[in-house]
Amino acid sequence: MKYLIIVLCLIAASFGCRKKDKVVKEATLLGTWQLKKIVTWAPPGLQGTGAVENGKMITFNADSTYADSEYRCAGTFSIDQSLISVTAPCVSEGMPIIYEFSLENAATLQLQDISHPCDEGCVLIFKKL
């Protein structure tokens, strides 16, 4: 009887010490993002990175609605491969703004406005909130 209790205790202890599986977040555009950095480049070889404090926030919702804290108006978005087309009445006056985007991981979004490119070229880097 003693051995049965010892074996049951060992089995219970081995299940209690099982390693927890890491939860891997899938990278998704949906959610709220805050601007953290702007990367610019000029003539070949010259690149600058500027940190942004209290950067604007953008939100992509599952119902294809879009919000930008800088413009304070709602809009819509659509995705086609690596391009996001955003239409917000107070910003684009019916013409979509087109961004090329990439998700480095679940927490980092890079946007490059290809419909109105920066003179020196730039990428906006957002962090997920």
Side-chain angles (χ1 to χ4, degrees), residues 14 16 31 37 40-41 43 46 59 68 71 79 101 103 107-108 114 122:
S14 69
K37 272 193 251 182
T40 60
W41 59 90
L46 297 177
T59 302
D68 185 324
Y71 301 113
I79 300 173
F101 80 97
L103 291 164
T108 306
I114 59 174
C122 61

Side-chain angles (χ1 to χ4, degrees), residues 21-61:
D21 294 333
K22 289 184 178 180
V23 176
V24 178
K25 290 185 178 181
E26 185 178 329
T28 178
L29 181 66
L30 300 179
T32 300
W33 301 84
Q34 185 170 27
L35 181 62
K36 293 296 184 178
K37 272 193 251 182
I38 299 175
V39 179
T40 60
W41 59 90
L46 297 177
Q47 179 175 330
T49 302
V52 177
E53 288 188 38
N54 300 319
K56 74 174 184 170
M57 290 187 277
I58 57 174
T59 302
F60 297 97
N61 295 308

Side-chain angles (χ1 to χ4, degrees), residues 90-112:
C90 66
V91 179
S92 57
E93 299 175 2
M95 297 298 295
I97 300 169
I98 300 176
Y99 295 103
E100 185 171 3
F101 80 97
S102 66
L103 291 164
E104 285 186 17
N105 52 48
T108 306
L109 168 66
Q110 292 186 3
L111 291 180
Q112 183 175 6

